[in-house]
Amino acid sequence: MLSNRLKVVSATALAPAVWGSTYLVTTEFLPPGRPLLAATVRALPAGLVLIALTRRLPQGDWWWRALVLGALNIGGFFALLFVAAYRLPGGVAATIGAIQPLLAAGLAALLLGERLTARTAAAGVAGVAGIALLVLRADAHLDVTGVVAAAGGAVVMAAGVVLSKRWTSPAPLLATTGWQLTAGGLMLLPVALLVEGRPPVPTGANLAGYGYLAVIGTAVAYALWFRGIRALPPTKVAFLGLLSPMVATALGWLWLGQDLSAPQLVGGLVVLAALVAAQTAAPATARRTGAHPLTSPSPSARS
């Protein structure tokens, strides 16, 4: 049992580890000033391919549920993610985004009846502090739009994780992933064209960057992520997202030759400790007696 759980956690952790390369790919390979284009190209082709491969469309309530989850997990999150990546130093965006596990824990308590423990709260605070030590710079420039985008991305991602757990689809995993990617991509497309205009002619580097983000960073990574949400408590899944800035920092050191200071190394250890504490915490059982209607999924919500 423990071995199977460890395998699921490890596979799920690959998703945020891959996402840790997004900042590097965005700044080094994609055209500047096109965050919405990047988000659209990343989501829509991957979603359409997965739908074509699975040949499965939503049924009943899952038409609107796929739209809601696609808006949270893909459309809104991707747009906010790329806006933050273009307008903020990576350290600022990562530190703000590190509040997502705490937000997910709070939403899981509200919508799923999971008990918010002191250990989880402490791990969440430690995660934010560790990320700040790891990636935040004293001279970092704060752009208001970028800060709002990074905070909004944390909120919609936390909501998407919790609702994905509450609404477990009976369809195959790849089909559900395809629905959400397509829904999110279709929401992003008109906004990208309206705000950013006609896309520029891509270079070879641009195509390589888009291809990597669409195939590895989206189709594969999100399938692993949603598989983890199905099998694990949502708060534990959310904490795995702290791996993204750790991988981004490691890539900056390996790829860009950036130095690693002693405080950064301490921050990395703090983040790892927070991850271990969150993953080894006892399962938080749902409250059954006198639960609020929102915390007791209806029969249709379990379908």
Side-chain angles (χ1 to χ4, degrees):
M1 184 70 175
L2 181 60
S3 177
N4 289 336
R5 179 182 175 81
L6 182 59
K7 288 178 181 178
V8 174
V9 171
S10 300
T12 308
L14 288 176
V18 169
W19 295 335
S21 63
T22 299
Y23 183 76
L24 176 65
V25 173
T26 299
T27 55
E28 298 295 313
F29 292 92
L30 301 189
R34 297 281 181 163
L36 295 175
L37 172 64
T40 305
V41 173
R42 178 179 177 180
L44 188 54
L48 291 173
V49 168
L50 289 179
I51 289 178
L53 289 175
T54 58
R55 299 182 181 181
R56 183 79 173 262
L57 292 177
Q59 300 292 325
D61 288 348
W62 271 97
W63 281 104
W64 67 265
R65 288 181 180 177
L67 289 175
V68 172
L69 293 177
L72 292 172
N73 287 319
I74 310 301
F77 177 66
F78 277 13
L80 294 168
L81 172 70
F82 280 100
V83 170
Y86 275 113
R87 300 185 69 98
L88 289 177
V92 176
T95 301
I96 297 172
I99 65 174
Q100 188 244 333
L102 285 172
L103 294 173
L107 287 173
L110 176 65
L111 297 178
L112 303 178
E114 285 194 2
R115 184 166 50 90
L116 178 57
T117 65
R119 179 171 179 167
T120 297
V125 173
V128 175
I131 293 298
L133 284 172
L134 182 67
V135 297
L136 193 60
R137 300 290 183 271
D139 59 349
H141 172 68
L142 294 180
D143 175 88
V144 175
T145 301
V147 169
V148 172
V155 171
V156 299
M157 185 65 168
V161 168
V162 174
L163 279 181
S164 294
K165 184 67 175 183
R166 179 175 171 84
W167 297 335
T168 301
S169 171
L173 177 65
L174 291 182
T176 306
T177 303
W179 301 344
Q180 294 188 49
L181 291 174
T182 301
L186 289 174
M187 293 175 192
L188 287 166
L189 180 58
V191 179
L193 293 175
L194 180 64
V195 174
E196 298 177 354
R198 189 170 63 180
V201 177
T203 65
N206 296 159
L207 292 175
Y210 286 133
Y212 170 80
L213 290 177
V215 177
I216 305 299
T218 302
V220 174
Y222 266 93
L224 293 172
W225 185 249
F226 291 139
R227 176 175 176 264
I229 291 174
R230 287 188 176 189
L232 301 169
T235 301
K236 294 184 183 295
V237 174
F239 267 95
L240 294 176
L242 296 176
L243 289 170
S244 288
M246 292 190 66
V247 171
T249 301
L251 288 175
W253 175 62
L254 293 170
W255 187 284
L256 303 176
Q258 298 172 346
D259 294 331
L260 286 178
S261 64
Q264 285 180 290
L265 295 175
V266 171
L269 292 175
V270 171
V271 174
L272 287 176
L275 282 169
V276 172
Q279 297 305 317
T280 56
T285 56
R287 297 183 299 270
R288 297 299 182 187
T289 304
H292 188 279
L294 281 177
T295 66
S296 299
S298 64
S300 62
R302 299 189 190 102
S303 63

